[in-house]
């Protein structure tokens, strides 16, 4: 593994965390607009940790990402691999009346289901462009089906 690698870890096709320099997502820090956000993973068998659940934020709501692989005095500490700062869109950085969105469908083979997702973000600014509001919404429905492989000796193995 390269010392300069930054990759998105995926589980069931969804981005779940960022691996930096070979360190898993729970060994890195992800901040939302510079603040720590506790998010739970949807799979009940996952251990709780400090990694950020990227499924909760639609791409239209992201204004930019910053990745820091080395510690800096002005960035929250605690990461072995690095720190990712996810910056959401700011209303004064968008034109008034801007609307961005997406609609898609994802097919899941095992349950034989098509699942929808949609997101939208819009901005309004006053006439002087000194005050603005962003409104965003996202919805996602995923059907996941898992099958265990049972050995010839039952659940407990040989």
């Amino acid at each position: 593994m390269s010392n300069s690698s930054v990759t998105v870890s995926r589980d069931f096709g969804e981005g779940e965390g960022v691996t930096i320099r070979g360190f898993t997502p729970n060994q890195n820090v992800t901040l939302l607009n510079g603040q720590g956000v506790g998010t739970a993973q949807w799979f009940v068998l996952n251990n709780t940790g400090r990694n950020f659940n990227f499924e909760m934020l639609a791409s239209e709501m992201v204004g930019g990402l910053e990745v820091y692989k080395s510690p800096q005095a002005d960035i929250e500490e605690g990461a072995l691999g690095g720190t990712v700062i996810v910056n959401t869109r700011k209303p004064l950085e968008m034109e008034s009346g801007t609307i961005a969105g997406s609609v898609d469908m994802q097919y899941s083979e095992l349950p034989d289901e098509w699942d929808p997702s949609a997101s939208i973000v819009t901005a309004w600014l006053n006439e002087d462009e000194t005050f603005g509001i962003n409104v965003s919404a996202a919805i996602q429905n995923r059907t996941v089906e898992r099958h265990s492989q049972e050995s010839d000796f039952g659940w407990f193995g040989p």
Side-chain angles (χ1 to χ4, degrees):
M1 190 166 296
S2 169
N3 283 342
S4 62
S5 65
V6 176
T7 59
V8 175
S9 303
R10 295 189 174 277
D11 200 4
F12 301 101
E14 300 290 339
E16 284 203 319
V18 176
T19 299
I20 301 173
R21 296 188 305 177
F23 290 98
T24 61
N26 63 352
Q27 296 170 320
N28 298 309
V29 173
T30 301
L31 306 172
L32 183 62
N33 294 323
Q35 301 297 313
V37 177
T39 60
Q41 300 298 326
W42 64 270
F43 183 45
V44 73
L45 296 179
N46 279 350
N47 293 327
T48 56
R50 61 182 172 178
N51 63 318
F52 182 82
N53 186 352
F54 285 89
E55 293 176 27
M56 71 175 224
L57 196 59
S59 61
E60 288 83 11
M61 299 173 197
V62 176
L65 294 171
E66 301 171 44
V67 178
Y68 297 91
K69 296 182 191 176
S70 301
Q72 288 185 210
D74 60 339
I75 297 174
E76 187 175 319
E77 66 176 346
L80 293 175
T83 302
V84 177
I85 302 176
V86 179
N87 294 306
T88 57
R89 290 185 173 204
K90 310 283 187 283
L92 296 179
E93 295 171 356
M94 298 173 71
E95 288 187 35
S96 188
T98 299
I99 297 175
S102 67
V103 176
D104 69 358
M105 297 286 284
Q106 177 176 318
Y107 178 73
S108 299
E109 235 177 83
L110 267 170
D112 191 28
E113 295 279 338
W114 282 96
D115 297 321
S117 65
S119 63
I120 189 167
V121 62
T122 184
W124 172 86
L125 281 80
N126 67 354
E127 220 173 272
D128 297 330
E129 296 187 355
T130 57
F131 176 78
I133 297 173
N134 271 7
V135 176
S136 59
I139 186 167
Q140 181 181 53
N141 183 28
R142 292 289 184 252
T143 304
V144 176
E145 188 173 316
R146 299 177 190 166
H147 294 253
S148 297
Q149 293 184 359
E150 195 173 329
S151 72
D152 293 336
F153 298 101
W155 287 99
F156 300 106

